[in-house]
Coordinates of all heavy atoms in Angstrom, one line a residue:
M1 N 158.4 338.6 113.2 CA 158.5 337.7 112.0 C 157.5 338.2 110.9 O 157.8 338.0 109.8 CB 158.1 336.3 112.4 CG 159.2 335.6 113.2 SD 160.8 335.6 112.4 CE 160.7 334.1 111.5
K2 N 156.4 338.8 111.3 CA 155.4 339.2 110.3 C 156.0 340.3 109.5 O 155.7 340.4 108.3 CB 154.1 339.7 111.0 CG 153.3 338.6 111.5 CD 152.0 339.1 112.0 CE 151.0 338.0 112.4 NZ 149.7 338.5 112.8
N3 N 156.8 341.2 110.1 CA 157.3 342.3 109.3 C 158.3 341.8 108.2 O 158.3 342.4 107.1 CB 158.1 343.3 110.2 CG 157.1 344.1 111.1 OD1 156.0 344.2 110.7 ND2 157.7 344.7 112.1
S4 N 159.1 340.9 108.4 CA 160.0 340.4 107.4 C 159.2 339.7 106.3 O 159.6 339.8 105.1 CB 161.0 339.4 108.0 OG 160.4 338.2 108.5
G5 N 158.1 339.0 106.6 CA 157.3 338.4 105.6 C 156.6 339.5 104.7 O 156.5 339.3 103.5
I6 N 156.2 340.5 105.3 CA 155.6 341.6 104.6 C 156.6 342.3 103.7 O 156.3 342.6 102.5 CB 154.9 342.6 105.5 CG1 153.7 341.9 106.2 CG2 154.5 343.9 104.8 CD1 153.1 342.8 107.3
N7 N 157.8 342.5 104.2 CA 158.8 343.1 103.4 C 159.2 342.3 102.1 O 159.3 342.8 101.0 CB 160.1 343.4 104.2 CG 159.9 344.5 105.2 OD1 159.1 345.4 105.0 ND2 160.7 344.5 106.2
V8 N 159.3 341.0 102.3 CA 159.6 340.1 101.2 C 158.4 340.2 100.2 O 158.7 340.3 99.0 CB 159.8 338.7 101.7 CG1 159.9 337.7 100.5 CG2 161.1 338.6 102.5
K9 N 157.2 340.1 100.7 CA 156.0 340.2 99.8 C 156.0 341.5 99.1 O 155.7 341.6 97.9 CB 154.8 340.0 100.7 CG 153.5 339.9 99.8 CD 152.3 339.6 100.7 CE 151.1 339.5 100.0 NZ 149.9 339.3 100.8
E10 N 156.3 342.6 99.7 CA 156.3 343.9 99.1 C 157.4 344.0 98.0 O 157.2 344.6 97.0 CB 156.5 345.0 100.2 CG 155.2 345.2 101.0 CD 155.5 346.3 102.1 OE1 156.6 346.9 102.1 OE2 154.5 346.5 102.9
K11 N 158.5 343.4 98.3 CA 159.6 343.5 97.4 C 159.2 342.7 96.1 O 159.5 343.1 95.0 CB 160.9 342.9 98.0 CG 161.6 343.9 99.0 CD 162.8 343.2 99.5 CE 163.4 344.2 100.6 NZ 164.7 343.6 101.1
L12 N 158.6 341.5 96.3 CA 158.2 340.7 95.1 C 157.2 341.5 94.3 O 157.2 341.5 93.1 CB 157.7 339.4 95.6 CG 158.7 338.4 96.1 CD1 158.0 337.2 96.7 CD2 159.7 338.0 95.0
I13 N 156.2 342.1 95.0 CA 155.2 342.8 94.3 C 155.8 344.1 93.6 O 155.4 344.4 92.4 CB 154.0 343.2 95.2 CG1 153.3 342.0 95.7 CG2 153.1 344.2 94.6 CD1 152.3 342.2 96.8
A14 N 156.7 344.7 94.3 CA 157.3 345.9 93.7 C 158.1 345.6 92.4 O 158.2 346.4 91.5 CB 158.2 346.6 94.7
R15 N 158.7 344.4 92.4 CA 159.5 344.1 91.2 C 158.6 344.0 90.0 O 159.0 344.4 88.9 CB 160.1 342.7 91.4 CG 160.9 342.2 90.2 CD 161.4 340.8 90.4 NE 162.3 340.7 91.6 CZ 162.7 339.6 92.1 NH1 162.4 338.4 91.5 NH2 163.5 339.6 93.2
Y16 N 157.3 343.5 90.1 CA 156.4 343.5 89.0 C 155.7 344.8 88.7 O 155.3 345.0 87.6 CB 155.4 342.3 89.2 CG 156.0 341.0 89.2 CD1 156.2 340.3 90.4 CD2 156.5 340.4 88.0 CE1 156.8 339.0 90.4 CE2 157.1 339.2 88.0 CZ 157.2 338.5 89.2 OH 157.8 337.3 89.2
L17 N 155.7 345.7 89.7 CA 155.0 346.9 89.5 C 155.9 348.0 88.8 O 155.5 348.9 88.2 CB 154.5 347.5 90.8 CG 153.3 346.7 91.4 CD1 152.9 347.3 92.7 CD2 152.1 346.6 90.5
E18 N 157.3 347.8 89.0 CA 158.2 348.7 88.4 C 158.1 348.6 86.9 O 158.1 347.6 86.3 CB 159.6 348.4 88.8 CG 159.9 348.8 90.3 CD 161.3 348.4 90.7 OE1 162.1 348.1 89.8 OE2 161.6 348.4 91.9
K19 N 158.0 349.8 86.3 CA 157.9 349.8 84.8 C 159.2 350.4 84.3 O 159.5 351.5 84.5 CB 156.8 350.6 84.3 CG 155.4 350.0 84.6 CD 154.3 350.7 84.0 CE 153.0 350.0 84.3 NZ 151.9 350.7 83.7
D20 N 160.0 349.6 83.6 CA 161.2 350.1 83.0 C 160.8 350.8 81.7 O 159.9 350.5 81.0 CB 162.1 348.9 82.6 CG 162.6 348.1 83.8 OD1 162.7 348.8 84.9 OD2 162.9 346.9 83.7
P21 N 161.5 351.9 81.5 CA 161.3 352.6 80.2 C 161.7 351.7 79.1 O 162.7 351.0 79.1 CB 162.2 353.9 80.3 CG 163.2 353.5 81.3 CD 162.6 352.6 82.2
P22 N 160.8 351.7 78.1 CA 161.1 350.8 76.9 C 162.4 351.2 76.3 O 162.7 352.4 76.0 CB 160.0 351.0 76.0 CG 159.3 352.3 76.4 CD 159.6 352.5 77.8
S23 N 163.3 350.2 76.1 CA 164.6 350.5 75.5 C 164.5 350.4 74.0 O 164.5 349.3 73.4 CB 165.6 349.5 76.0 OG 165.2 348.2 75.7
T24 N 164.3 351.5 73.4 CA 164.1 351.6 71.9 C 165.5 352.0 71.3 O 166.0 353.1 71.6 CB 163.1 352.6 71.5 OG1 163.4 353.9 72.0 CG2 161.7 352.2 71.9
Q25 N 166.1 351.1 70.6 CA 167.3 351.3 70.0 C 167.1 351.7 68.5 O 166.4 350.9 67.8 CB 168.2 350.1 70.1 CG 168.6 349.8 71.5 CD 169.5 348.5 71.5 OE1 169.6 347.8 70.5 NE2 170.0 348.2 72.7
S26 N 167.5 352.9 68.1 CA 167.3 353.3 66.8 C 168.2 352.5 65.9 O 169.4 352.3 66.2 CB 167.5 354.8 66.6 OG 168.8 355.1 66.9
K27 N 167.7 352.1 64.8 CA 168.5 351.3 63.8 C 169.3 352.4 63.0 O 168.7 353.3 62.4 CB 167.7 350.5 62.9 CG 167.0 349.3 63.6 CD 166.3 348.4 62.7 CE 165.7 347.2 63.4 NZ 164.9 346.4 62.4
S28 N 170.5 352.2 62.8 CA 171.3 353.1 62.0 C 172.0 352.3 60.9 O 172.4 351.2 61.1 CB 172.3 353.8 62.9 OG 173.3 352.9 63.4
S29 N 172.1 352.9 59.8 CA 172.7 352.3 58.6 C 173.9 353.2 58.1 O 173.7 354.4 58.2 CB 171.8 352.1 57.5 OG 170.7 351.2 58.0
N30 N 174.9 352.6 57.7 CA 176.0 353.3 57.1 C 175.5 353.8 55.7 O 175.2 353.0 54.8 CB 177.2 352.5 57.0 CG 178.5 353.3 56.7 OD1 178.4 354.4 56.3 ND2 179.6 352.6 56.8
I31 N 175.6 355.1 55.5 CA 175.1 355.6 54.2 C 176.0 355.2 53.0 O 175.5 355.0 51.9 CB 175.0 357.2 54.3 CG1 174.2 357.7 53.0 CG2 176.3 357.8 54.4 CD1 172.8 357.4 53.1
N32 N 177.3 355.0 53.3 CA 178.2 354.5 52.2 C 177.8 353.1 51.7 O 177.9 352.8 50.6 CB 179.6 354.6 52.7 CG 180.1 356.0 52.9 OD1 179.7 356.9 52.1 ND2 181.0 356.2 53.8
V33 N 177.4 352.3 52.7 CA 177.0 350.9 52.3 C 175.8 350.9 51.4 O 175.7 350.2 50.4 CB 176.8 350.1 53.6 CG1 176.2 348.7 53.2 CG2 178.1 349.9 54.3
L34 N 174.8 351.8 51.8 CA 173.6 351.9 51.0 C 173.9 352.5 49.6 O 173.3 352.0 48.6 CB 172.6 352.8 51.7 CG 172.1 352.2 53.1 CD1 171.2 353.3 53.8 CD2 171.3 351.0 52.9
L35 N 174.7 353.5 49.5 CA 175.0 354.1 48.2 C 175.8 353.1 47.4 O 175.6 353.0 46.1 CB 175.8 355.4 48.4 CG 175.1 356.5 49.0 CD1 176.0 357.7 49.3 CD2 173.9 357.0 48.1
N36 N 176.7 352.3 48.0 CA 177.4 351.3 47.2 C 176.5 350.2 46.7 O 176.6 349.7 45.6 CB 178.5 350.7 48.0 CG 179.7 351.6 48.3 OD1 179.9 352.6 47.5 ND2 180.4 351.4 49.3
R37 N 175.5 349.9 47.5 CA 174.5 348.8 47.1 C 173.7 349.4 45.9 O 173.4 348.6 44.9 CB 173.6 348.5 48.2 CG 172.7 347.3 47.9 CD 171.8 347.0 49.0 NE 172.5 346.7 50.2 CZ 172.0 346.7 51.5 NH1 170.7 347.1 51.6 NH2 172.7 346.4 52.5
I38 N 173.4 350.6 45.9 CA 172.6 351.2 44.8 C 173.5 351.2 43.5 O 173.0 350.9 42.4 CB 172.2 352.6 45.1 CG1 171.1 352.6 46.2 CG2 171.6 353.4 43.9 CD1 170.7 353.9 46.8
A39 N 174.8 351.6 43.7 CA 175.6 351.6 42.5 C 175.8 350.2 41.9 O 175.8 350.0 40.7 CB 177.0 352.1 42.9
V40 N 176.0 349.2 42.8 CA 176.1 347.8 42.3 C 174.8 347.3 41.6 O 174.9 346.7 40.6 CB 176.5 346.9 43.5 CG1 176.4 345.4 43.1 CG2 177.9 347.2 43.9
N41 N 173.7 347.7 42.2 CA 172.4 347.3 41.6 C 172.2 347.9 40.2 O 171.8 347.3 39.3 CB 171.2 347.6 42.5 CG 171.1 346.7 43.7 OD1 171.7 345.7 43.7 ND2 170.4 347.2 44.7
K42 N 172.6 349.2 40.1 CA 172.5 349.9 38.8 C 173.4 349.2 37.8 O 173.0 349.1 36.6 CB 172.9 351.4 39.0 CG 172.5 352.2 37.8 CD 172.9 353.7 38.0 CE 172.0 354.3 39.0 NZ 172.2 355.8 39.1
K43 N 174.6 348.9 38.2 CA 175.6 348.2 37.3 C 175.0 346.9 36.8 O 175.1 346.5 35.6 CB 176.9 348.1 38.0 CG 178.0 347.5 37.1 CD 179.3 347.2 37.8 CE 180.1 348.4 37.9 NZ 181.5 348.1 38.5
N44 N 174.5 346.1 37.7 CA 173.9 344.8 37.4 C 172.7 344.9 36.4 O 172.6 344.1 35.5 CB 173.5 344.0 38.7 CG 174.7 343.5 39.4 OD1 175.8 343.4 38.9 ND2 174.4 343.2 40.7
E45 N 171.9 345.9 36.6 CA 170.7 346.1 35.7 C 171.2 346.5 34.3 O 170.7 346.0 33.4 CB 169.8 347.2 36.3 CG 168.9 346.8 37.4 CD 167.9 347.9 37.8 OE1 167.5 348.7 36.9 OE2 167.6 348.0 39.0
S46 N 172.2 347.3 34.2 CA 172.7 347.7 32.9 C 173.3 346.5 32.2 O 173.2 346.3 31.0 CB 173.7 348.9 33.0 OG 174.9 348.5 33.7
R47 N 174.0 345.6 33.0 CA 174.6 344.4 32.4 C 173.5 343.5 31.9 O 173.6 342.9 30.8 CB 175.5 343.7 33.4 CG 176.8 344.3 33.6 CD 177.7 343.5 34.5 NE 178.9 344.1 34.7 CZ 179.8 343.7 35.6 NH1 179.5 342.7 36.4 NH2 180.9 344.4 35.8
K48 N 172.4 343.4 32.7 CA 171.3 342.5 32.3 C 170.7 343.0 31.0 O 170.3 342.3 30.1 CB 170.3 342.4 33.4 CG 170.7 341.5 34.6 CD 169.7 341.5 35.6 CE 170.1 340.7 36.8 NZ 169.1 340.7 37.9
K49 N 170.5 344.3 30.9 CA 169.9 344.9 29.7 C 170.8 344.7 28.5 O 170.3 344.4 27.4 CB 169.7 346.4 29.9 CG 168.5 346.8 30.9 CD 168.4 348.3 31.1 CE 167.3 348.6 32.1 NZ 167.2 350.0 32.3
L50 N 172.1 344.8 28.7 CA 173.0 344.6 27.6 C 173.0 343.2 27.1 O 172.9 342.9 25.9 CB 174.4 345.0 28.0 CG 175.5 344.8 27.0 CD1 175.3 345.8 25.8 CD2 176.9 345.0 27.6
Y51 N 173.0 342.2 28.1 CA 172.9 340.8 27.7 C 171.6 340.5 27.0 O 171.6 339.7 26.0 CB 173.0 339.9 28.9 CG 174.4 339.9 29.6 CD1 174.6 339.7 30.9 CD2 175.6 340.1 28.8 CE1 175.8 339.7 31.5 CE2 176.8 340.2 29.4 CZ 176.9 340.0 30.8 OH 178.2 340.0 31.3
F52 N 170.5 341.0 27.5 CA 169.2 340.8 26.8 C 169.2 341.4 25.4 O 168.7 340.7 24.5 CB 168.1 341.4 27.7 CG 166.7 341.2 27.0 CD1 166.1 340.0 27.1 CD2 166.1 342.3 26.4 CE1 164.8 339.8 26.5 CE2 164.9 342.1 25.8 CZ 164.2 340.9 25.8
S53 N 169.7 342.6 25.3 CA 169.8 343.2 23.9 C 170.6 342.4 23.0 O 170.2 342.2 21.8 CB 170.3 344.6 24.0 OG 169.5 345.4 24.8
A54 N 171.7 341.9 23.5 CA 172.6 341.1 22.6 C 171.9 339.7 22.2 O 172.0 339.3 21.1 CB 173.9 340.8 23.4
A55 N 171.3 339.1 23.2 CA 170.6 337.9 22.9 C 169.4 338.1 21.9 O 169.2 337.3 21.0 CB 170.1 337.2 24.2
A56 N 168.7 339.2 22.1 CA 167.6 339.5 21.2 C 168.1 339.8 19.8 O 167.5 339.3 18.8 CB 166.7 340.6 21.8
S57 N 169.1 340.5 19.7 CA 169.7 340.8 18.4 C 170.2 339.6 17.7 O 170.0 339.4 16.5 CB 170.8 341.8 18.5 OG 170.4 343.0 19.1
T58 N 170.9 338.7 18.4 CA 171.4 337.5 17.9 C 170.2 336.6 17.4 O 170.3 336.0 16.4 CB 172.3 336.7 18.9 OG1 173.3 337.6 19.4 CG2 172.9 335.5 18.3
G59 N 169.2 336.5 18.2 CA 168.0 335.7 17.9 C 167.4 336.2 16.6 O 167.0 335.5 15.7
L60 N 167.2 337.6 16.5 CA 166.6 338.1 15.3 C 167.5 337.9 14.0 O 167.0 337.6 13.0 CB 166.4 339.6 15.4 CG 165.3 340.0 16.3 CD1 165.3 341.5 16.6 CD2 163.9 339.6 15.7
I61 N 168.8 338.0 14.2 CA 169.7 337.7 13.1 C 169.6 336.3 12.6 O 169.5 336.0 11.4 CB 171.1 338.1 13.4 CG1 171.2 339.7 13.5 CG2 172.1 337.6 12.4 CD1 172.6 340.2 14.1
L62 N 169.6 335.4 13.6 CA 169.5 333.9 13.2 C 168.2 333.6 12.6 O 168.1 332.8 11.6 CB 169.8 333.1 14.5 CG 171.2 333.0 15.0 CD1 171.2 332.2 16.3 CD2 172.1 332.4 14.0
F63 N 167.1 334.2 13.1 CA 165.8 334.0 12.6 C 165.7 334.5 11.1 O 165.2 333.9 10.3 CB 164.7 334.7 13.5 CG 163.3 334.5 13.0 CD1 162.7 333.3 13.1 CD2 162.6 335.5 12.4 CE1 161.4 333.0 12.7 CE2 161.3 335.3 12.0 CZ 160.7 334.1 12.2
G64 N 166.3 335.7 10.9 CA 166.4 336.3 9.6 C 167.2 335.4 8.6 O 166.8 335.2 7.4
L65 N 168.3 334.8 9.1 CA 169.1 334.0 8.2 C 168.4 332.7 7.8 O 168.5 332.2 6.7 CB 170.4 333.7 8.9 CG 171.4 334.8 8.9 CD1 172.7 334.4 9.7 CD2 171.8 335.3 7.5
I66 N 167.6 332.1 8.8 CA 166.9 330.9 8.6 C 165.7 331.1 7.6 O 165.5 330.3 6.7 CB 166.4 330.3 9.9 CG1 167.6 329.8 10.7 CG2 165.5 329.1 9.7 CD1 167.2 329.4 12.1
I67 N 165.0 332.2 7.7 CA 163.9 332.5 6.9 C 164.3 332.8 5.5 O 163.7 332.3 4.5 CB 163.1 333.7 7.4 CG1 162.5 333.3 8.8 CG2 162.0 334.1 6.5 CD1 161.4 332.2 8.7
F68 N 165.4 333.6 5.3 CA 165.8 334.0 3.9 C 166.9 333.2 3.6 O 167.5 332.6 3.0 CB 166.2 335.5 3.9 CG 165.0 336.4 4.2 CD1 165.0 337.1 5.4 CD2 164.0 336.5 3.3 CE1 163.9 337.9 5.7 CE2 162.9 337.3 3.6 CZ 162.9 338.0 4.8

């Protein structure tokens, strides 16, 4: 009976002593998704610049009309 008790104890201890190799999964990204995101961001920035320029021009014209 002592042998079976020792085997169980050894198995329990061995379970905690085993070191699994760390499972490092490399993150991969689809390059097309990244390039499309850059294109969309660039398009949005150019629209924002256009809207700002239009608003600033309109503001200056209105300010000029009110003053003169």
Side-chain angles (χ1 to χ4, degrees):
M1 290 302 271
K2 284 187 176 182
N3 286 342
S4 65
I6 292 173
N7 286 337
V8 171
K9 186 177 179 182
E10 287 177 2
K11 286 181 184 178
L12 288 173
I13 292 173
R15 180 184 300 169
Y16 293 106
L17 293 178
E18 289 179 12
K19 292 186 179 180
D20 294 330
S23 59
T24 56
Q25 296 177 351
S26 61
K27 292 183 179 180
S28 63
S29 298
N30 190 352
I31 191 71
N32 290 326
V33 172
L34 296 175
L35 291 174
N36 288 337
R37 187 181 302 161
I38 290 171
V40 169
N41 287 344
K42 191 180 287 188
K43 184 186 273 187
N44 287 340
E45 281 187 33
S46 64
R47 284 184 183 170
K48 286 179 185 178
K49 287 179 183 177
L50 180 66
Y51 292 150
F52 178 76
S53 297
S57 298
T58 304
L60 285 173
I61 290 172
L62 289 175
F63 183 71
L65 289 176
I66 292 173
I67 295 293
F68 297 111

